[in-house]
Amino acid sequence: MLWPLFFLMTAIHAELCQPDAENAFKVRLSIRTALGDKAYVWDTNEEYLFRAMVAFSMRKVPNRGATEISHVLLCNVTQRVSFWFVVTDPSKNHTLPAVEVQSAIRMNRNRINNAFSLNDHTLEFLKIPSTFAPPMEPSVPIWIIIFGVIFCIVIVAVTLLILSGIRQHRRNTKGPSGVDDTEDKCENTITVENGIPCDPLDTKGGHINEVFLTEEERLTPL
Amino acid sequence: MAQVSELGQLEDGEDERPKWDNKVQYLLSCIGFAVGLGNIWRFPYLCQTYGGGAFLIPYFIALVFEGIPLFHIELAIGQRLRRGSLGVWMAISPYLGGVGLGCFTVSFLVSLYYNTVLVWVLWFFLNSFQHPLPWSTCPLDLNRTGFVPECQGSGTVSYFWYRQTLNISADISDSGTFQWWLFLCMVACWAIVYLCVIRGIESTGKAIYFTALFPYLVLTIFLVRGLTLPGAAEGLTYLFTPKMQTLQNPRVWLDAATQIFFSLSLAFGGHIAFASYNPPSAVSALLFCLCRNILSLINEFDFPEQSIPRDDYPTVLLHLNATQPERVARLPLKACHLEDFLDKSASGPGLAFIIFTEAVLNMPGATGWAILFFGMLFTLGLSSMFGNMEGVITPLLDMGILPKGIPKEALTGLVCLMCFLSATCFTLQSGSYWLEIFDNFAASLNLIIFAFFEVVGVIYVYGMKRFCDDIEWMTGQRPGLYWRMTWYVVSPLLLLSIFLAYIILLAHKAPSYKAWNPQYEQFPLKQEKLYPGWVQVICVLLSFLPSLWVPGVALAQLLCRQRQKWKDAQLESGLKLQNGRHC
């Protein structure tokens, strides 16, 4: 059923609609990929709808309000479902410029897609790129917010630690200077660490090895 | 504790050593310092550079004959002499004091680039708090008709890493500008490091329970997930069939030996290697490659949709090539081999980031997993970073450079500030290449040299018998034959031979690096380039300067001794003259 109509069309407008003709565009559909089991068969009625959609898009262009469905020509339909189309002017002698067709299709791409239940990937117009929707981006990137939070926490913690260190230092310097007679007591108490008396450990060494070191050699002369 | 620190300030030069609350804390801290980014970041990329299974063999040998004996020596001598890294060497022999200074220099260099890796981890952590994750999609190009071409060529994850994180330049001599987002993260990282180092061991001893154990939980989950996905078997067989030719390359042995210094645990390293190899993503990449080729064929020849099943692809391609070769030749068909995807284009310092971010994308609840993973990685690196900073700060305190009045907090703040200013060079566009240089040259050779001197110094200078007596006194057991054999012979010999092999290798072949160049014909593969002359000079300086402390200090000590002897001799002759006069 497809083929007699196809031959009729090519008989009348053989020169205008051809693969790689001037102002012709190739369309490729991937119906099975998009719809799976619910895929419809591509027949002449679907082609009619396609031509109607293209004519509709062209009618929206100023100056081209008189475009009819018969002005849209399809050719070389394959099993892939791909075909070429051109839009002719009312005299049907020459085709409309590619730039106009391109901008018209781009403006109405969404409507055309929806008519066939397809999207930009499954209904491809080769040489007519589609515009992607911009991604949602907040005014301040999220990472800066998290960074700000963490950095503030760190600065506060550092400040607190430094202040507590300074306070402890001041308390230490005030403490021993006021009490001289308890110095002996201090030395006695400190010798017990973690329940182990220090003196036996001292005699085993673990301190400066006197055989090798003199006072000035403790630090490496640089 | 406060009283002890008081005593420390009263007695001149006798520095207090802070203490662990219990043995478990000490053990976990050791694990925490030993297990760090070296396992998760460095090991997988080394493993992959040398083809998986083959790398594990020299790693295991190096672990048994070098890593564990050295670790034991360090722990024992540190515990016995109860001094920091500088004091220990002076205590063993004044001529070996240079080893301590050299270790201090290497710690400084390592902490610079180690913290830069933490900066990257922090960046990923901060970017994980959104859905969908920023590395899951490509950004759109200027007129919003498609994706950015660089991203289309390389894949979303690689693009996010190389372009949106590093903004990498195509050549190391092209330094580019400072990347302000990395700079900010670096400020935060060094502030966090300063926060941990102010207080020292007392606070991290508590945190270590979490930071040492939690990573294993998360990584085991990753491993289990990877193993249960299809394609795991192929990936693992590929990982386990070693390529024996790689063992003949001395660089493999050097890298295995130095990897020991970065991560002491074979089990952990292997664990990560499996997880990082990520065979399922390789299989899905293979399927994607096949599908893309099939689609090209269908579109070109206008076959019906889905008419070529994946298995028939080779026969169909052959048939078409025979009948219409010109049309087939015009198609951009890529060869799809599983090995190519397992030998992925991701390599070098970015490997761990690319592999793990890709793995996270495929998991349900990707945002939560990403936050968990990068948070864990950050704490892991931080605990190791703390060890590095102690290696820098403690010698400075021991040397007593700053006057007494200035508190310890000021010194650590100054050190952190100096490190931060030096490390800002890694936030340049060529920063990643410089980091690779530091990683390859600053650490490797010097650590081998210092390890050699450590073993020789403790065993031969301090004395094997005295050392064994000390260990017996500390632990109640004398070290067995394995320890004595490795300490006496095997470790020094192994280290020396690796060192010599590396010198020969370096002289033989100029070092090269892999650059990310979008203009390269084989993009997304990385372009192999040679280092320019001035960079090679820097590499050599990095490799040898820290080791020069050893002969330098030994020479200085020798001169000092000679001068002392000469002075003593003069004094003696002077006294004799005096005595002679009296008598």
Side-chain angles (χ1 to χ4, degrees):
Chain A
M1 199 184 122
L2 196 68
W3 298 102
L5 195 65
F6 180 64
F7 276 107
L8 186 66
M9 297 284 281
T10 47
I12 300 170
H13 302 291
E15 333 78 58
L16 287 180
C17 180
Q18 265 181 19
D20 295 320
E22 199 189 348
N23 302 330
F25 290 95
K26 185 170 183 184
V27 180
R28 192 186 289 144
L29 286 91
S30 313
I31 307 174
R32 232 182 293 162
T33 317
L35 301 170
D37 294 331
K38 301 198 202 94
Y40 48 81
V41 179
W42 187 261
D43 55 11
T44 46
N45 299 325
E46 305 284 344
E47 282 184 26
Y48 192 81
L49 178 59
F50 182 81
R51 290 162 67 210
M53 292 305 295
V54 173
F56 160 74
S57 309
M58 288 312 297
R59 284 167 86 98
K60 289 191 132 180
V61 176
N63 296 350
R64 300 292 175 198
T67 314
E68 298 291 336
I69 296 182
S70 52
H71 297 157
V72 182
L73 307 172
L74 260 57
C75 47
N76 279 60
V77 184
T78 64
Q79 291 280 349
R80 170 69 176 81
V81 195
S82 68
F83 49 84
W84 291 82
F85 77 92
V86 287
V87 186
T88 60
D89 69 340
S91 69
K92 295 192 185 157
N93 283 335
H94 50 264
T95 55
L96 297 185
V99 185
E100 275 189 37
V101 180
Q102 202 176 50
S103 67
I105 301 280
R106 280 186 80 173
M107 296 289 205
N108 301 287
R109 190 60 188 274
N110 225 19
R111 302 286 295 272
I112 302 176
N113 286 350
N114 286 339
F116 292 97
S117 314
L118 299 172
N119 60 30
D120 282 347
H121 295 293
T122 42
L123 172 56
E124 291 171 77
F125 288 82
L126 303 187
K127 291 191 290 173
I128 305 183
S130 51
T131 313
F132 290 110
M136 298 290 298
E137 251 180 66
S139 51
V140 179
I142 295 180
W143 72 267
I144 289 187
I145 299 174
I146 315 274
F147 170 82
V149 168
I150 293 181
F151 196 60
C152 287
I153 294 176
V154 169
I155 294 293
V156 165
V158 167
T159 319
L160 283 175
L161 282 175
I162 292 181
L163 286 176
S164 76
I166 293 176
R167 217 179 298 137
Q168 203 171 45
H169 189 76
R170 248 182 240 150
R171 218 183 295 141
N172 291 347
T173 47
K174 272 198 210 133
S177 58
V179 274
D180 287 320
D181 42 341
T182 52
E183 238 182 75
D184 294 353
K185 270 199 212 154
C186 275
E187 279 185 39
N188 285 335
T189 48
I190 285 166
T191 50
V192 179
E193 282 177 350
N194 292 341
I196 306 169
C198 273
D199 291 322
L201 280 180
D202 278 343
T203 57
K204 284 278 182 180
H207 292 279
I208 302 170
N209 199 339
E210 280 95 20
V211 178
F212 284 101
L213 299 175
T214 60
E215 254 317 305
E216 63 205 37
E217 281 184 356
R218 272 201 69 250
L219 299 172
T220 314
L222 295 171
Chain B
M1 281 267 200
Q3 285 178 318
V4 174
S5 60
E6 246 187 281
L7 177 63
Q9 280 168 5
L10 287 172
E11 277 187 33
D12 200 33
E14 178 63 36
D15 46 343
E16 79 288 0
R17 284 270 171 272
K19 285 163 192 49
W20 303 105
D21 288 345
N22 53 47
K23 257 193 219 168
V24 178
Q25 243 185 41
Y26 172 56
L27 191 65
L28 285 181
S29 293
C30 279
I31 295 178
F33 294 167
V35 172
L37 293 181
N39 295 85
I40 298 182
W41 164 69
R42 208 168 184 275
F43 189 92
Y45 95 76
L46 282 182
C47 212
Q48 201 203 56
T49 316
Y50 300 117
F55 183 72
L56 292 175
I57 298 174
Y59 182 78
F60 185 72
I61 293 177
L63 183 74
V64 167
F65 292 112
E66 174 208 332
I68 295 180
L70 260 170
F71 196 52
H72 195 188
I73 285 187
E74 277 194 20
L75 290 181
I77 203 78
Q79 188 167 330
R80 174 64 186 89
L81 296 181
R82 289 172 56 76
R83 307 200 127 259
S85 62
L86 216 56
V88 156
W89 295 106
M90 296 303 290
I92 291 179
S93 159
Y95 292 109
L96 285 178
V99 179
L101 280 173
C103 282
F104 158 73
T105 317
V106 171
S107 288
F108 172 73
L109 292 172
V110 169
S111 63
L112 289 183
Y113 79 82
Y114 203 84
N115 208 32
T116 307
V117 181
L118 272 187
V119 169
W120 295 342
V121 173
L122 183 67
W123 165 256
F124 273 91
F125 177 72
L126 293 175
N127 273 294
S128 304
F129 285 88
Q130 41 190 300
H131 179 74
L133 292 168
W135 53 84
S136 58
T137 50
C138 275
L140 297 174
D141 63 11
L142 283 170
N143 43 5
R144 287 200 262 127
T145 54
F147 296 123
V148 171
E150 189 183 343
C151 188
Q152 273 186 321
S154 66
T156 58
V157 175
S158 297
Y159 180 77
F160 183 78
W161 169 244
Y162 286 108
R163 191 52 52 206
Q164 291 179 304
T165 304
L166 298 176
N167 198 9
I168 206 166
S169 60
D171 196 273
I172 195 172
S173 14
D174 177 18
S175 296
T177 51
F178 288 103
Q179 307 308 297
W180 63 270
W181 55 92
L182 288 180
F183 191 81
L184 278 184
C185 290
M186 184 163 270
V187 173
C189 262
W190 279 108
I192 295 174
V193 168
Y194 180 50
L195 179 67
C196 294
V197 167
I198 282 185
R199 272 302 181 235
I201 285 176
E202 293 128 38
S203 56
T204 58
K206 312 285 185 296
I208 217 78
Y209 285 108
F210 178 74
T211 60
L213 298 175
F214 178 64
Y216 283 92
L217 181 65
V218 177
L219 286 165
T220 309
I221 295 176
F222 270 88
L223 178 67
V224 165
R225 180 169 170 88
L227 287 177
T228 51
L229 288 177
E234 283 104 12
L236 283 178
T237 6
Y238 185 72
L239 176 66
F240 273 113
T241 44
K243 296 190 215 120
M244 284 308 178
Q245 311 90 280
T246 56
L247 290 179
Q248 294 162 9
N249 178 8
R251 181 83 217 193
V252 182
W253 293 91
L254 178 73
D255 280 336
T258 51
Q259 179 59 18
I260 298 294
F261 298 112
F262 284 90
S263 76
L264 245 205
S265 24
L266 179 67
F268 306 155
H271 188 120
I272 310 307
F274 305 153
S276 74
Y277 232 73
N278 210 358
S281 96
V283 170
S284 69
L286 174 72
L287 295 177
F288 184 72
C289 177
L290 280 176
C291 282
R292 211 171 34 200
N293 283 356
I294 291 175
L295 198 64
S296 301
L297 280 180
I298 289 181
N299 285 343
E300 172 67 24
F301 294 99
D302 286 322
F303 291 140
E305 265 185 280
Q306 299 169 356
S307 54
I308 305 181
R310 267 201 296 272
D311 301 324
D312 291 348
Y313 167 70
T315 39
V316 171
L317 182 64
L318 217 61
H319 172 75
L320 285 173
N321 226 352
T323 50
Q324 301 185 61
E326 330 79 43
R327 287 177 80 179
V328 175
R330 266 189 288 142
L331 291 176
L333 293 176
K334 288 192 185 160
C336 302
H337 302 300
L338 187 62
E339 291 75 41
D340 293 338
F341 296 108
L342 288 172
D343 281 341
K344 248 173 93 81
S345 63
S347 65
L351 175 74
F353 293 101
I354 294 176
I355 291 286
F356 285 114
T357 47
E358 211 168 308
V360 158
L361 272 183
N362 295 328
M363 297 174 94
T367 303
W369 283 114
I371 294 173
L372 209 66
F373 179 74
F374 289 109
M376 172 268 287
L377 206 59
F378 189 76
T379 49
L380 208 61
L382 198 64
S383 59
S384 304
M385 187 62 204
F386 175 66
N388 280 330
M389 290 309 288
E390 278 291 296
V392 175
I393 291 172
T394 311
L396 284 176
L397 285 175
D398 286 349
M399 285 196 281
I401 282 185
L402 287 187
K404 276 286 167 195
I406 296 186
K408 186 181 169 199
E409 285 93 340
L411 174 70
T412 51
L414 200 66
V415 170
C416 285
L417 188 68
M418 294 305 302
C419 288
F420 163 68
L421 290 173
S422 313
T424 46
C425 66
F426 293 118
T427 55
L428 289 169
Q429 283 182 270
S430 54
S432 167
Y433 301 131
W434 283 107
L435 193 128
E436 237 180 294
I437 289 182
F438 267 71
D439 192 35
N440 286 336
F441 294 98
S444 317
L445 205 63
N446 293 309
L447 288 179
I448 297 276
I449 295 175
F450 295 138
F452 178 76
F453 279 111
E454 250 180 56
V455 178
V456 163
V458 170
I459 297 304
Y460 290 95
V461 178
Y462 186 75
M464 169 71 101
K465 187 172 181 313
R466 190 152 59 139
F467 187 58
C468 289
D469 288 340
D470 290 339
I471 293 184
E472 192 174 1
W473 171 68
M474 285 191 293
T475 64
Q477 249 188 345
R478 237 191 142 66
L481 187 65
Y482 158 70
W483 297 110
R484 278 181 282 138
M485 276 308 297
T486 49
W487 290 335
Y488 248 143
V489 176
V490 183
S491 292
L493 219 62
L494 189 66
L495 291 167
L496 195 65
S497 47
I498 295 176
F499 171 73
L500 288 172
Y502 183 63
I503 299 289
I504 296 171
L505 181 75
L506 208 59
H508 189 253
K509 187 177 96 98
S512 65
Y513 68 108
K514 293 218 171 105
W516 178 263
N517 186 6
Q519 266 73 47
Y520 187 45
E521 313 92 50
Q522 293 173 40
F523 186 78
L525 289 178
K526 291 162 87 167
Q527 188 181 12
E528 178 125 6
K529 290 187 180 175
L530 288 177
Y531 286 123
W534 60 280
V535 175
Q536 288 190 12
V537 170
I538 293 182
C539 295
V540 170
L541 284 178
L542 276 178
S543 305
F544 286 107
L545 270 186
S547 320
L548 288 181
W549 280 119
V550 179
V553 167
L555 208 65
Q557 285 287 334
L558 201 67
L559 288 175
C560 221
R561 287 290 170 82
Q562 294 290 61
R563 204 177 51 170
Q564 191 70 12
K565 266 191 219 161
W566 185 70
K567 251 194 238 167
D568 287 341
Q570 269 205 324
L571 208 66
E572 259 185 51
S573 56
L575 277 172
K576 274 196 191 141
L577 273 174
Q578 271 190 330
N579 287 343
R581 235 181 273 134
H582 280 282
C583 292

